[in-house]
Amino acid sequence: MKTQKSLHLEYTEYTSLNSLPKLDQKLLYKAIEASKNAYAKYSNFQVGAAVLLNNGEIVIGSNQENAAYPSGLCAERVALFSASSQFSIAKMETLAIYASDAMGKEEPVSPCGACRQVMMEYELKQGQSIRLLLLSEKGKVWEFESVKELFPFAFVLKPSKK
Ligand code: THU
């Protein structure tokens, strides 16, 4: 038997950053600020991320490159790993991401697969959705209520008993 299936994903688009609540705007500005600390010598593509935790902390990250290319890390993972290292019990509420527009695109840059995998792990660990805000240089914002909306069919392992 053959069954055709389809998937429905939901996200919200804002044409301007000003249409968002003040706290979201603040988080997005933190991501813009963070992108200025990117070490992007090889790609010249600066990305900033800012994650808001339920204890009120905001943890930032930017992409960090290396002459041995795979040793570098995306802004999102720098922010998420740092947040988890510093505040392991806190829950991640919203992750804001900003990328400088190297290709002149209107749309926000979408996180890479490896970063989505990492986001998904934390979302499952904390049992609460992580909201995502993606901002383009042109000011357009995409909002996803959960990592699941951006990353269906994620690889998931059942946690071991220990
Ligand atoms: N990069 C990020 O920081 N986040 C993404 O979502 C996509 C890519 C970085 C990695 C690398 O430093 C540069 O952008 C070009 O790929």
Side-chain angles (χ1 to χ4, degrees):
M1 199 175 86
K2 186 174 141 184
T3 313
Q4 195 77 42
K5 299 195 174 185
S6 66
L7 205 64
H8 175 80
L9 301 177
E10 277 192 8
Y11 65 102
T12 307
E13 181 175 285
Y14 300 86
T15 47
S16 155
L17 205 150
N18 301 328
S19 323
L20 287 141
K22 283 276 176 286
L23 186 57
D24 287 342
Q25 291 189 33
K26 180 183 166 189
L27 200 61
L28 285 163
Y29 280 118
K30 290 268 182 195
I32 294 173
E33 277 305 305
S35 74
K36 293 175 187 162
N37 289 337
Y39 178 62
K41 178 178 168 180
Y42 301 97
S43 71
N44 205 25
F45 189 68
Q46 297 182 297
V47 187
V51 58
L52 172 68
L53 308 179
N54 70 344
N55 62 6
E57 294 282 347
I58 293 176
V59 180
I60 60 161
S62 56
N63 53 325
Q64 300 296 318
E65 299 183 352
N66 191 277
Y69 285 13
S71 305
L73 201 60
C74 294
E76 295 90 327
R77 275 176 287 164
V78 170
L80 294 174
F81 290 153
S82 176
S84 181
S85 306
Q86 297 181 74
F87 307 103
S88 61
I89 303 160
K91 294 194 176 183
M92 299 169 181
E93 292 188 335
T94 306
L95 172 65
I97 305 162
Y98 169 78
S100 63
D101 190 359
M103 289 154 287
K105 276 189 3 190
E106 288 275 330
E107 270 70 44
V109 166
S110 214
C112 79
C115 287
R116 294 178 201 207
Q117 182 72 33
V118 168
M119 291 173 201
M120 179 59 86
E121 182 88 21
Y122 289 127
E123 183 166 286
L124 293 170
K125 173 180 173 261
Q126 68 184 26
Q128 185 181 301
S129 295
I130 303 174
R131 212 168 129 252
L132 304 172
L133 295 172
L134 316 184
L135 171 68
S136 75
E137 204 171 58
K138 302 256 158 69
K140 194 179 267 187
V141 178
W142 284 348
E143 175 190 35
F144 296 83
E145 287 301 337
S146 161
V147 180
K148 289 189 189 78
E149 295 296 333
L150 195 65
F151 193 35
F153 301 110
F155 173 68
V156 178
L157 266 186
K158 266 202 197 137
S160 69
K161 289 236 169 66
K162 222 172 138 219

